[in-house]
């Protein structure tokens, strides 16, 4: 068997580059660049480093929610915003009691974990519908927050650790938002967890076939339960950055509508709602797209209700485009292979 010639390797490399350039994650990069070019052309006076920092910090309260793992399982969680509110409320009550900040933070994380465990128990162990369960728990958690906060003086909580503000609004070297650095750190952790570990492979297998996963010896119940607990904890972490960005103030409406935004981010990032498909890179890029898209809508004077329309359209497009992209990718592959074969024949 002869070794490949340099010309053969060149053909192979061109084929690999063609596939890379039409990957969904790369298309998201193109979209991100186009949005920023449009923002700069539309209003160059306000497109500066301060605006970029502010735009990134604003989206970080939605960026840490672990909906990606849930969607890869083929499930959904629409209670995550309410879990965030529950965690924020618990931290505020502990802060009002004068407890030290480690206890306050731990209490918030524990609240998120417990809420996620409730979802996980009902969905994984009792095999109830994820949609019905998380809609129900969303109303339950939000209702508890509303009842408790309405009994607090001023109907809001404001006793939180001072470093929350630093986490939400601070910078590293006066340039990089601390929240962005934390987001990228968690992004790396989840990339390793999802793409480089046995746990991640289990999630993809469960999302592709629940029955086959059970017969393969995977403890599907415990795995799904753990994923919902992780989602709850990540919602609690989101609460920290939300509170810090908003001046350590909380009322019962905290995070309303966030669940739609984070699902839109995940879907736009290429994570299939049907389960078993998607990569962590996509939602990371999509987070920044949604941040600057929101900024563009603000410059155009679009109100909050109209923004929800845009989010709904994005959800629909995000589900449709991967199907179109798959057909486009297959066609490019066919054309590239055909051209490559012609090049090989000509050698």
């Amino acid at each position: 068997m002869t070794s490949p010639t340099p010309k053969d390797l060149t053909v192979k490399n061109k084929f690999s580059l063609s596939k890379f350039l039409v990957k969904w994650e790369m298309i998201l990069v193109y979209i991100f660049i186009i949005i920023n070019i449009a923002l700069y052309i539309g209003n160059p006076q306000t497109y500066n480093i301060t605006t970029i920092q502010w735009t990134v910090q604003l989206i970080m309260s939605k960026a840490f929610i672990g909906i990606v793992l849930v969607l890869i399982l083929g499930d959904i969680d629409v209670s995550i915003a309410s879990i965030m509110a529950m965690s924020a409320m618990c931290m505020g009550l502990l802060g009002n009691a004068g407890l030290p900040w480690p206890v306050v933070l731990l209490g918030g994380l524990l609240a998120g974990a417990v809420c996620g465990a409730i979802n996980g128990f009902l969905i994984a162990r009792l095999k109830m519908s994820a949609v019905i369960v998380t809609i129900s728990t969303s109303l339950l958690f939000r209702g508890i927050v509303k009842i408790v906060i309405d009994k607090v003086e001023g109907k809001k909580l404001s006793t939180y650790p001072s470093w929350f503000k630093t986490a939400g609004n601070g910078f590293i070297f006066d340039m990089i938002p601390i929240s962005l650095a934390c987001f990228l750190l968690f992004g790396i952790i989840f990339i390793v967890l999802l793409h480089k570990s046995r746990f991640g492979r289990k999630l993809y297998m469960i999302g592709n076939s629940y029955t086959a996963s059970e017969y393969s010896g995977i403890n599907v119940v415990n795995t799904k339960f753990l994923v919902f607990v992780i989602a709850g904890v990540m919602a609690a972490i989101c609460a920290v950055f939300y509170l810090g960005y908003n001046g350590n103030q909380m009322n019962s409406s905290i995070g309303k509508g966030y669940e739609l935004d984070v699902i839109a981010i995940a879907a736009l990032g290429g994570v299939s709602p049907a389960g078993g498909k998607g990569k962590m890179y996509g939602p990371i890029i999509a987070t920044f797209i949604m941040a600057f898209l929101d900024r563009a809508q603000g410059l155009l004077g679009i109100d909050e209700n109209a923004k929800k329309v845009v989010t709904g359209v994005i959800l629909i497009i995000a589900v449709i485009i991967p199907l179109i992209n798959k057909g486009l990718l297959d066609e490019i592959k066919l054309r590239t292979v055909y051209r490559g074969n012609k090049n090989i024949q000509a050698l």
Side-chain angles (χ1 to χ4, degrees):
M1 182 176 179
T2 59
S3 60
T5 66
K7 290 185 178 181
D8 292 333
L9 294 175
T10 301
V11 172
K12 182 177 180 180
N13 288 336
K14 285 183 179 179
F15 175 67
S16 299
L17 180 61
S18 299
K19 290 195 298 182
F20 176 76
L21 291 177
V22 295
K23 281 182 176 292
W24 183 241
E25 291 79 10
M26 285 303 301
I27 293 175
L28 291 176
V29 172
Y30 307 149
I31 294 172
F32 177 70
I33 293 172
I34 291 170
I35 289 175
N36 279 273
I37 291 174
L39 280 172
Y40 177 77
I41 294 174
N43 202 336
Q45 292 80 14
T46 63
Y47 193 87
N48 50 48
I49 186 64
T50 302
T51 303
I52 293 173
Q53 290 171 337
W54 175 82
T55 303
V56 170
Q57 286 177 326
L58 183 61
I59 198 68
M60 287 298 108
S61 58
K62 304 173 185 178
F64 292 84
I65 297 181
I67 192 68
V68 173
L69 303 185
V70 176
L71 290 177
I72 287 177
L73 281 176
D75 289 316
I76 196 166
D77 187 351
V78 296
S79 69
I80 44 183
S82 296
I83 295 176
M84 187 176 83
M86 279 284 287
S87 298
M89 181 194 72
C90 290
M91 287 188 285
L93 293 175
L94 293 172
N96 278 351
L99 296 174
W101 73 259
V103 177
V104 172
L105 178 61
L106 183 60
L109 297 177
L110 183 60
V114 169
C115 292
I118 292 172
N119 286 336
F121 177 79
L122 296 174
I123 295 168
R125 298 195 181 278
L126 300 187
K127 302 188 186 304
M128 296 174 65
S129 167
V131 175
I132 301 302
V133 167
T134 56
I135 288 176
S136 302
T137 55
S138 175
L139 297 173
L140 171 64
F141 301 150
R142 183 71 67 176
I144 293 172
V145 170
K146 176 70 173 174
I147 291 171
V148 174
I149 297 298
D150 283 351
K151 293 182 179 180
V152 175
E153 184 178 353
K155 295 186 178 181
K156 66 179 181 179
L157 294 170
S158 57
T159 307
Y160 293 96
S162 58
W163 64 265
F164 278 19
K165 291 183 180 180
T166 303
N169 286 310
F171 297 92
I172 301 174
F173 305 122
D174 294 326
M175 180 65 67
I176 303 171
I178 292 175
S179 55
L180 173 61
C182 293
F183 169 65
L184 295 178
L185 176 61
F186 274 97
I188 293 172
I189 292 172
F190 275 95
I191 286 172
V192 174
L193 179 68
L194 194 58
H195 302 302
K196 303 296 182 181
S197 71
R198 291 181 60 189
F199 181 75
R201 290 191 290 271
K202 288 179 183 179
L203 299 190
Y204 281 109
M205 189 165 183
I206 294 171
N208 280 298
S209 177
Y210 186 99
T211 304
S213 300
E214 285 188 318
Y215 280 109
S216 298
I218 296 175
N219 193 326
V220 177
V221 172
N222 286 348
T223 303
K224 293 184 71 170
F225 179 83
L226 180 58
V227 165
F228 279 96
V229 172
I230 292 173
V233 172
M234 295 309 297
I237 292 174
C238 274
V240 172
F241 290 96
Y242 178 96
L243 292 166
Y245 184 80
N246 290 279
N248 279 355
Q249 301 286 330
M250 180 226 166
N251 56 36
S252 60
S253 64
I254 174 177
K256 275 193 173 181
Y258 273 26
E259 61 277 355
L260 296 179
D261 292 334
V262 297
I263 292 172
I265 288 171
L268 181 61
V271 179
S272 172
K277 295 181 181 178
K279 296 179 180 179
M280 187 60 67
Y281 313 102
I284 292 174
I285 301 170
T287 298
F288 297 105
I289 290 177
M290 290 293 286
F292 285 90
L293 182 61
D294 187 70
R295 170 66 179 163
Q297 292 179 81
L299 290 175
L300 293 173
I302 299 175
D303 62 25
E304 290 300 320
N305 291 326
K307 287 181 180 180
K308 296 302 178 186
V309 174
V310 174
T311 301
V313 171
I314 289 174
L315 277 169
I316 295 173
I317 294 175
V319 173
I320 294 175
I321 285 184
L323 301 177
I324 300 174
N325 185 57
K326 185 178 184 302
L328 176 63
L329 181 59
D330 290 341
E331 182 179 352
I332 291 175
K333 284 180 181 178
L334 181 62
R335 290 179 180 274
T336 307
V337 171
Y338 175 70
R339 189 181 297 115
N341 288 337
K342 288 176 63 178
N343 291 337
I344 291 173
Q345 291 171 5
L347 294 177

